[in-house]
Amino acid sequence: MHSAALISRSNAKKITSLLVIVALILLICDRTLFQSHHIKTATYHTLSWMYNHAAIVLGLHILSMILLTCFFVPPALLVLASGFVFQNIYVVEGWSFVIAWLASMLGAVIGGTLAFSRAPGLSRDLLRVVCGRYPILNAVDTAVVKNPLRVMMLLRLNPFLPFGVLNYVFAMKGVDMALFVAAMASVMQWYLFLVCVGAGLSNMYNGYGFIGYAIGTACGALVMV
């Protein structure tokens, strides 16, 4: 049952990625080929509503991060989107990327802790399925017992290992919750990178051109070094 659920989530991620690609193609066509700007107008109205309801948007973002983390869905796209959206919402204050970054981290920590707590109630068949998809997890059985904090932080640095999957795997390995929470600090630079890229895309969208995007990406790359 749990194996089928994981496969279903994998299909859902593929569908979500496809929808994102289709949306980007429609956005580019609307702006360059058709020049009708319907999507840009709709985006402007949406961002205007978010600007007037910044506290609600902030709360929804944190809640969405918690839910995605609990249900094994990688939150990377949502973190990147927060950089784009919050750059428009908090542009006057100048703290947009910091707010997006901290809100994303807060949601990830809360969601990760909840996932860690509920993991013992899930089937161990799911663990075998997960380790089958990510063979590197089979190689850390002994290491995660001897040096749990170091191993967890190193695995968190790998952006190709889903955040939600690692929460479940670490819980099933029996690591201490305090060390589990402390190891989440490893994703801070990855989230900051995504937020900076999202903010750069927002600058490009708002008319600052390629330079705005390059600045955002460069800032994110610097924190990854």
Side-chain angles (χ1 to χ4, degrees):
M1 177 179 177
H2 292 293
S3 300
L6 185 64
I7 294 174
S8 177
R9 292 189 186 98
S10 178
N11 292 333
K13 288 188 290 184
K14 292 178 181 177
I15 294 173
T16 303
S17 300
L18 179 61
L19 290 176
V20 171
I21 293 173
V22 171
L24 289 174
I25 293 175
L26 290 175
L27 178 62
I28 294 172
C29 291
D30 180 70
R31 182 153 187 170
T32 59
L33 298 179
F34 308 132
Q35 296 185 350
S36 57
H37 304 296
H38 292 309
I39 296 178
K40 185 175 182 179
T41 301
T43 303
Y44 172 78
H45 290 307
T46 302
L47 291 174
S48 296
W49 182 90
M50 290 181 174
Y51 180 83
N52 294 322
H53 302 83
I56 296 177
V57 174
L58 181 62
L60 288 176
H61 174 63
I62 296 174
L63 178 61
S64 298
M65 286 291 299
I66 294 173
L67 293 176
L68 291 182
T69 303
C70 286
F71 291 101
F72 301 99
V73 180
L77 281 177
L78 183 61
V79 177
L80 188 146
S82 70
F84 180 93
V85 172
F86 284 39
Q87 179 72 4
N88 288 276
I89 294 178
Y90 296 100
V91 64
V92 177
E93 289 81 352
W95 289 90
S96 57
F97 74 96
V98 176
I99 296 173
W101 179 46
L102 293 178
S104 298
M105 281 300 305
L106 178 61
V109 170
I110 296 175
T113 304
L114 292 176
F116 184 91
S117 301
R118 66 188 284 265
L122 300 179
S123 171
R124 284 196 171 270
D125 292 335
L126 180 59
L127 180 61
R128 285 193 288 270
V129 173
V130 170
C131 291
R133 293 192 62 185
Y134 305 98
I136 189 176
L137 297 177
N138 290 318
V140 298
D141 286 340
T142 305
V144 78
V145 175
K146 294 182 178 179
N147 300 291
L149 181 61
R150 180 182 299 178
V151 173
M152 285 190 292
M153 294 186 75
L154 288 174
L155 290 176
R156 292 287 192 195
L157 289 172
N158 188 341
F160 299 104
L161 292 176
F163 185 82
V165 169
L166 289 178
N167 294 333
Y168 173 74
V169 170
F170 293 153
M172 298 303 288
K173 299 295 184 183
V175 300
D176 182 70
M177 179 176 284
L179 295 177
F180 169 81
V181 174
M184 289 189 191
S186 294
V187 302
M188 294 177 67
Q189 57 183 359
W190 171 237
Y191 281 10
L192 184 57
F193 171 75
L194 293 173
V195 167
C196 288
V197 172
L201 289 171
S202 176
N203 289 334
M204 183 173 65
Y205 179 81
N206 289 322
Y208 293 98
F210 177 77
I211 295 178
Y213 175 72
I215 291 174
T217 305
C219 290
L222 285 175
V223 302
M224 290 292 289
V225 175

